[in-house]
mmCIF file with all atom_site columns, all heavy atoms in Angstrom:
data_model
loop_
_atom_site.group_PDB
_atom_site.id
_atom_site.type_symbol
_atom_site.label_atom_id
_atom_site.label_alt_id
_atom_site.label_comp_id
_atom_site.label_asym_id
_atom_site.label_entity_id
_atom_site.label_seq_id
_atom_site.pdbx_PDB_ins_code
_atom_site.Cartn_x
_atom_site.Cartn_y
_atom_site.Cartn_z
_atom_site.occupancy
_atom_site.B_iso_or_equiv
_atom_site.pdbx_formal_charge
_atom_site.auth_seq_id
_atom_site.auth_comp_id
_atom_site.auth_asym_id
_atom_site.auth_atom_id
_atom_site.pdbx_PDB_model_num
ATOM 1   N N   . MET L 1 329 ? -103.757 -8.125  92.833 1.00 0.00 ? 398 MET L N   1
ATOM 2   C CA  . MET L 1 329 ? -103.030 -9.069  91.900 1.00 0.00 ? 398 MET L CA  1
ATOM 3   C C   . MET L 1 329 ? -102.881 -8.371  90.613 1.00 0.00 ? 398 MET L C   1
ATOM 4   O O   . MET L 1 329 ? -101.959 -8.604  89.838 1.00 0.00 ? 398 MET L O   1
ATOM 5   C CB  . MET L 1 329 ? -103.840 -10.310 91.724 1.00 0.00 ? 398 MET L CB  1
ATOM 6   C CG  . MET L 1 329 ? -103.633 -11.205 93.056 1.00 0.00 ? 398 MET L CG  1
ATOM 7   S SD  . MET L 1 329 ? -104.529 -12.779 92.824 1.00 0.00 ? 398 MET L SD  1
ATOM 8   C CE  . MET L 1 329 ? -103.996 -13.674 94.422 1.00 0.00 ? 398 MET L CE  1
ATOM 9   N N   . MET L 1 330 ? -103.910 -7.700  90.140 1.00 0.00 ? 399 MET L N   1
ATOM 10  C CA  . MET L 1 330 ? -103.857 -6.872  88.874 1.00 0.00 ? 399 MET L CA  1
ATOM 11  C C   . MET L 1 330 ? -102.758 -5.831  88.966 1.00 0.00 ? 399 MET L C   1
ATOM 12  O O   . MET L 1 330 ? -102.005 -5.630  88.018 1.00 0.00 ? 399 MET L O   1
ATOM 13  C CB  . MET L 1 330 ? -105.210 -6.257  88.595 1.00 0.00 ? 399 MET L CB  1
ATOM 14  C CG  . MET L 1 330 ? -106.240 -7.169  88.119 1.00 0.00 ? 399 MET L CG  1
ATOM 15  S SD  . MET L 1 330 ? -107.794 -6.493  87.707 1.00 0.00 ? 399 MET L SD  1
ATOM 16  C CE  . MET L 1 330 ? -108.697 -6.616  89.237 1.00 0.00 ? 399 MET L CE  1
ATOM 17  N N   . MET L 1 331 ? -102.631 -5.135  90.026 1.00 0.00 ? 400 MET L N   1
ATOM 18  C CA  . MET L 1 331 ? -101.515 -4.187  90.152 1.00 0.00 ? 400 MET L CA  1
ATOM 19  C C   . MET L 1 331 ? -100.171 -4.855  90.009 1.00 0.00 ? 400 MET L C   1
ATOM 20  O O   . MET L 1 331 ? -99.260  -4.338  89.406 1.00 0.00 ? 400 MET L O   1
ATOM 21  C CB  . MET L 1 331 ? -101.605 -3.524  91.617 1.00 0.00 ? 400 MET L CB  1
ATOM 22  C CG  . MET L 1 331 ? -102.655 -2.566  91.719 1.00 0.00 ? 400 MET L CG  1
ATOM 23  S SD  . MET L 1 331 ? -102.762 -2.027  93.500 1.00 0.00 ? 400 MET L SD  1
ATOM 24  C CE  . MET L 1 331 ? -101.361 -0.895  93.554 1.00 0.00 ? 400 MET L CE  1
ATOM 25  N N   . LYS L 1 332 ? -99.965  -6.121  90.523 1.00 0.00 ? 401 LYS L N   1
ATOM 26  C CA  . LYS L 1 332 ? -98.775  -6.713  90.506 1.00 0.00 ? 401 LYS L CA  1
ATOM 27  C C   . LYS L 1 332 ? -98.445  -7.115  88.975 1.00 0.00 ? 401 LYS L C   1
ATOM 28  O O   . LYS L 1 332 ? -97.340  -7.180  88.644 1.00 0.00 ? 401 LYS L O   1
ATOM 29  C CB  . LYS L 1 332 ? -98.941  -8.022  91.320 1.00 0.00 ? 401 LYS L CB  1
ATOM 30  C CG  . LYS L 1 332 ? -97.554  -8.492  91.863 1.00 0.00 ? 401 LYS L CG  1
ATOM 31  C CD  . LYS L 1 332 ? -97.759  -9.429  93.175 1.00 0.00 ? 401 LYS L CD  1
ATOM 32  C CE  . LYS L 1 332 ? -96.503  -10.229 93.255 1.00 0.00 ? 401 LYS L CE  1
ATOM 33  N NZ  . LYS L 1 332 ? -96.534  -11.537 92.833 1.00 0.00 ? 401 LYS L NZ  1
ATOM 34  N N   . LEU L 1 333 ? -99.508  -7.374  88.187 1.00 0.00 ? 402 LEU L N   1
ATOM 35  C CA  . LEU L 1 333 ? -99.326  -7.742  86.846 1.00 0.00 ? 402 LEU L CA  1
ATOM 36  C C   . LEU L 1 333 ? -98.794  -6.590  86.019 1.00 0.00 ? 402 LEU L C   1
ATOM 37  O O   . LEU L 1 333 ? -98.053  -6.644  85.015 1.00 0.00 ? 402 LEU L O   1
ATOM 38  C CB  . LEU L 1 333 ? -100.673 -8.259  86.227 1.00 0.00 ? 402 LEU L CB  1
ATOM 39  C CG  . LEU L 1 333 ? -100.627 -8.841  84.842 1.00 0.00 ? 402 LEU L CG  1
ATOM 40  C CD1 . LEU L 1 333 ? -99.843  -10.125 84.798 1.00 0.00 ? 402 LEU L CD1 1
ATOM 41  C CD2 . LEU L 1 333 ? -102.037 -9.170  84.411 1.00 0.00 ? 402 LEU L CD2 1
ATOM 42  N N   . GLY L 1 334 ? -99.129  -5.364  86.477 1.00 0.00 ? 403 GLY L N   1
ATOM 43  C CA  . GLY L 1 334 ? -98.580  -4.130  85.830 1.00 0.00 ? 403 GLY L CA  1
ATOM 44  C C   . GLY L 1 334 ? -99.504  -3.503  84.790 1.00 0.00 ? 403 GLY L C   1
ATOM 45  O O   . GLY L 1 334 ? -100.366 -4.197  84.319 1.00 0.00 ? 403 GLY L O   1
ATOM 46  N N   . LEU L 1 335 ? -99.258  -2.323  84.455 1.00 0.00 ? 404 LEU L N   1
ATOM 47  C CA  . LEU L 1 335 ? -100.095 -1.615  83.552 1.00 0.00 ? 404 LEU L CA  1
ATOM 48  C C   . LEU L 1 335 ? -99.937  -2.161  82.098 1.00 0.00 ? 404 LEU L C   1
ATOM 49  O O   . LEU L 1 335 ? -100.953 -2.014  81.352 1.00 0.00 ? 404 LEU L O   1
ATOM 50  C CB  . LEU L 1 335 ? -99.706  -0.114  83.533 1.00 0.00 ? 404 LEU L CB  1
ATOM 51  C CG  . LEU L 1 335 ? -100.030 0.754   84.758 1.00 0.00 ? 404 LEU L CG  1
ATOM 52  C CD1 . LEU L 1 335 ? -99.518  2.059   84.670 1.00 0.00 ? 404 LEU L CD1 1
ATOM 53  C CD2 . LEU L 1 335 ? -101.537 0.798   84.922 1.00 0.00 ? 404 LEU L CD2 1
ATOM 54  N N   . GLU L 1 336 ? -98.739  -2.774  81.678 1.00 0.00 ? 405 GLU L N   1
ATOM 55  C CA  . GLU L 1 336 ? -98.607  -3.150  80.383 1.00 0.00 ? 405 GLU L CA  1
ATOM 56  C C   . GLU L 1 336 ? -99.635  -4.082  80.050 1.00 0.00 ? 405 GLU L C   1
ATOM 57  O O   . GLU L 1 336 ? -100.093 -4.197  78.881 1.00 0.00 ? 405 GLU L O   1
ATOM 58  C CB  . GLU L 1 336 ? -97.231  -3.755  80.259 1.00 0.00 ? 405 GLU L CB  1
ATOM 59  C CG  . GLU L 1 336 ? -95.969  -3.001  80.732 1.00 0.00 ? 405 GLU L CG  1
ATOM 60  C CD  . GLU L 1 336 ? -95.854  -3.248  82.363 1.00 0.00 ? 405 GLU L CD  1
ATOM 61  O OE1 . GLU L 1 336 ? -95.696  -4.388  82.730 1.00 0.00 ? 405 GLU L OE1 1
ATOM 62  O OE2 . GLU L 1 336 ? -96.064  -2.256  83.062 1.00 0.00 ? 405 GLU L OE2 1
ATOM 63  N N   . ALA L 1 337 ? -100.064 -4.971  81.058 1.00 0.00 ? 406 ALA L N   1
ATOM 64  C CA  . ALA L 1 337 ? -100.940 -6.104  80.659 1.00 0.00 ? 406 ALA L CA  1
ATOM 65  C C   . ALA L 1 337 ? -102.215 -5.476  80.266 1.00 0.00 ? 406 ALA L C   1
ATOM 66  O O   . ALA L 1 337 ? -103.073 -6.261  79.598 1.00 0.00 ? 406 ALA L O   1
ATOM 67  C CB  . ALA L 1 337 ? -101.145 -6.906  81.936 1.00 0.00 ? 406 ALA L CB  1
ATOM 68  N N   . LEU L 1 338 ? -102.509 -4.244  80.630 1.00 0.00 ? 407 LEU L N   1
ATOM 69  C CA  . LEU L 1 338 ? -103.802 -3.732  80.346 1.00 0.00 ? 407 LEU L CA  1
ATOM 70  C C   . LEU L 1 338 ? -103.818 -2.942  79.025 1.00 0.00 ? 407 LEU L C   1
ATOM 71  O O   . LEU L 1 338 ? -104.843 -2.693  78.332 1.00 0.00 ? 407 LEU L O   1
ATOM 72  C CB  . LEU L 1 338 ? -104.226 -2.744  81.435 1.00 0.00 ? 407 LEU L CB  1
ATOM 73  C CG  . LEU L 1 338 ? -105.673 -2.274  81.639 1.00 0.00 ? 407 LEU L CG  1
ATOM 74  C CD1 . LEU L 1 338 ? -106.622 -3.416  81.571 1.00 0.00 ? 407 LEU L CD1 1
ATOM 75  C CD2 . LEU L 1 338 ? -105.792 -1.472  83.006 1.00 0.00 ? 407 LEU L CD2 1
ATOM 76  N N   . ALA L 1 339 ? -102.590 -2.697  78.533 1.00 0.00 ? 408 ALA L N   1
ATOM 77  C CA  . ALA L 1 339 ? -102.405 -1.854  77.336 1.00 0.00 ? 408 ALA L CA  1
ATOM 78  C C   . ALA L 1 339 ? -103.170 -2.408  76.073 1.00 0.00 ? 408 ALA L C   1
ATOM 79  O O   . ALA L 1 339 ? -103.687 -1.645  75.282 1.00 0.00 ? 408 ALA L O   1
ATOM 80  C CB  . ALA L 1 339 ? -100.929 -1.651  77.051 1.00 0.00 ? 408 ALA L CB  1
ATOM 81  N N   . ALA L 1 340 ? -103.246 -3.666  76.023 1.00 0.00 ? 409 ALA L N   1
ATOM 82  C CA  . ALA L 1 340 ? -103.812 -4.420  74.814 1.00 0.00 ? 409 ALA L CA  1
ATOM 83  C C   . ALA L 1 340 ? -105.376 -4.219  74.776 1.00 0.00 ? 409 ALA L C   1
ATOM 84  O O   . ALA L 1 340 ? -105.981 -4.660  73.803 1.00 0.00 ? 409 ALA L O   1
ATOM 85  C CB  . ALA L 1 340 ? -103.341 -5.791  74.637 1.00 0.00 ? 409 ALA L CB  1
ATOM 86  N N   . TYR L 1 341 ? -105.931 -3.811  75.898 1.00 0.00 ? 410 TYR L N   1
ATOM 87  C CA  . TYR L 1 341 ? -107.437 -3.857  75.916 1.00 0.00 ? 410 TYR L CA  1
ATOM 88  C C   . TYR L 1 341 ? -108.011 -2.457  75.858 1.00 0.00 ? 410 TYR L C   1
ATOM 89  O O   . TYR L 1 341 ? -107.445 -1.450  76.230 1.00 0.00 ? 410 TYR L O   1
ATOM 90  C CB  . TYR L 1 341 ? -107.855 -4.479  77.291 1.00 0.00 ? 410 TYR L CB  1
ATOM 91  C CG  . TYR L 1 341 ? -107.255 -5.958  77.475 1.00 0.00 ? 410 TYR L CG  1
ATOM 92  C CD1 . TYR L 1 341 ? -106.142 -6.268  78.062 1.00 0.00 ? 410 TYR L CD1 1
ATOM 93  C CD2 . TYR L 1 341 ? -108.117 -6.980  76.963 1.00 0.00 ? 410 TYR L CD2 1
ATOM 94  C CE1 . TYR L 1 341 ? -105.673 -7.493  78.112 1.00 0.00 ? 410 TYR L CE1 1
ATOM 95  C CE2 . TYR L 1 341 ? -107.605 -8.322  77.036 1.00 0.00 ? 410 TYR L CE2 1
ATOM 96  C CZ  . TYR L 1 341 ? -106.415 -8.580  77.595 1.00 0.00 ? 410 TYR L CZ  1
ATOM 97  O OH  . TYR L 1 341 ? -105.972 -9.877  77.757 1.00 0.00 ? 410 TYR L OH  1
ATOM 98  N N   . CYS L 1 342 ? -109.178 -2.490  75.358 1.00 0.00 ? 411 CYS L N   1
ATOM 99  C CA  . CYS L 1 342 ? -109.868 -1.224  75.161 1.00 0.00 ? 411 CYS L CA  1
ATOM 100 C C   . CYS L 1 342 ? -111.261 -1.329  75.833 1.00 0.00 ? 411 CYS L C   1
ATOM 101 O O   . CYS L 1 342 ? -112.011 -2.180  75.638 1.00 0.00 ? 411 CYS L O   1
ATOM 102 C CB  . CYS L 1 342 ? -110.113 -1.076  73.590 1.00 0.00 ? 411 CYS L CB  1
ATOM 103 S SG  . CYS L 1 342 ? -110.960 0.418   73.123 1.00 0.00 ? 411 CYS L SG  1
ATOM 104 N N   . LEU L 1 343 ? -111.416 -0.447  76.872 1.00 0.00 ? 412 LEU L N   1
ATOM 105 C CA  . LEU L 1 343 ? -112.628 -0.536  77.688 1.00 0.00 ? 412 LEU L CA  1
ATOM 106 C C   . LEU L 1 343 ? -113.493 0.764   77.588 1.00 0.00 ? 412 LEU L C   1
ATOM 107 O O   . LEU L 1 343 ? -113.712 1.400   78.591 1.00 0.00 ? 412 LEU L O   1
ATOM 108 C CB  . LEU L 1 343 ? -112.182 -0.808  79.103 1.00 0.00 ? 412 LEU L CB  1
ATOM 109 C CG  . LEU L 1 343 ? -111.152 -1.933  79.262 1.00 0.00 ? 412 LEU L CG  1
ATOM 110 C CD1 . LEU L 1 343 ? -110.602 -1.995  80.726 1.00 0.00 ? 412 LEU L CD1 1
ATOM 111 C CD2 . LEU L 1 343 ? -111.713 -3.283  79.067 1.00 0.00 ? 412 LEU L CD2 1
ATOM 112 N N   . PRO L 1 344 ? -114.044 1.137   76.535 1.00 0.00 ? 413 PRO L N   1
ATOM 113 C CA  . PRO L 1 344 ? -114.773 2.368   76.390 1.00 0.00 ? 413 PRO L CA  1
ATOM 114 C C   . PRO L 1 344 ? -116.101 2.366   77.119 1.00 0.00 ? 413 PRO L C   1
ATOM 115 O O   . PRO L 1 344 ? -116.588 3.458   77.425 1.00 0.00 ? 413 PRO L O   1
ATOM 116 C CB  . PRO L 1 344 ? -114.873 2.498   74.785 1.00 0.00 ? 413 PRO L CB  1
ATOM 117 C CG  . PRO L 1 344 ? -114.936 1.124   74.265 1.00 0.00 ? 413 PRO L CG  1
ATOM 118 C CD  . PRO L 1 344 ? -113.953 0.323   75.179 1.00 0.00 ? 413 PRO L CD  1
ATOM 119 N N   . ARG L 1 345 ? -116.578 1.164   77.381 1.00 0.00 ? 414 ARG L N   1
ATOM 120 C CA  . ARG L 1 345 ? -117.858 1.055   78.018 1.00 0.00 ? 414 ARG L CA  1
ATOM 121 C C   . ARG L 1 345 ? -117.840 1.207   79.508 1.00 0.00 ? 414 ARG L C   1
ATOM 122 O O   . ARG L 1 345 ? -118.794 1.508   80.252 1.00 0.00 ? 414 ARG L O   1
ATOM 123 C CB  . ARG L 1 345 ? -118.573 -0.282  77.657 1.00 0.00 ? 414 ARG L CB  1
ATOM 124 C CG  . ARG L 1 345 ? -119.183 -0.300  76.319 1.00 0.00 ? 414 ARG L CG  1
ATOM 125 C CD  . ARG L 1 345 ? -120.562 0.254   76.222 1.00 0.00 ? 414 ARG L CD  1
ATOM 126 N NE  . ARG L 1 345 ? -121.622 -0.653  77.043 1.00 0.00 ? 414 ARG L NE  1
ATOM 127 C CZ  . ARG L 1 345 ? -122.776 -0.180  77.385 1.00 0.00 ? 414 ARG L CZ  1
ATOM 128 N NH1 . ARG L 1 345 ? -123.258 0.959   77.284 1.00 0.00 ? 414 ARG L NH1 1
ATOM 129 N NH2 . ARG L 1 345 ? -123.589 -1.095  78.060 1.00 0.00 ? 414 ARG L NH2 1
#
Side-chain angles (χ1 to χ4, degrees):
Chain L
M398 287 185 174
M399 286 183 264
M400 285 173 74
K401 210 159 161 260
L402 188 63
L404 289 172
E405 315 77 62
L407 196 49
Y410 298 92
C411 181
L412 309 171
R414 281 274 291 162

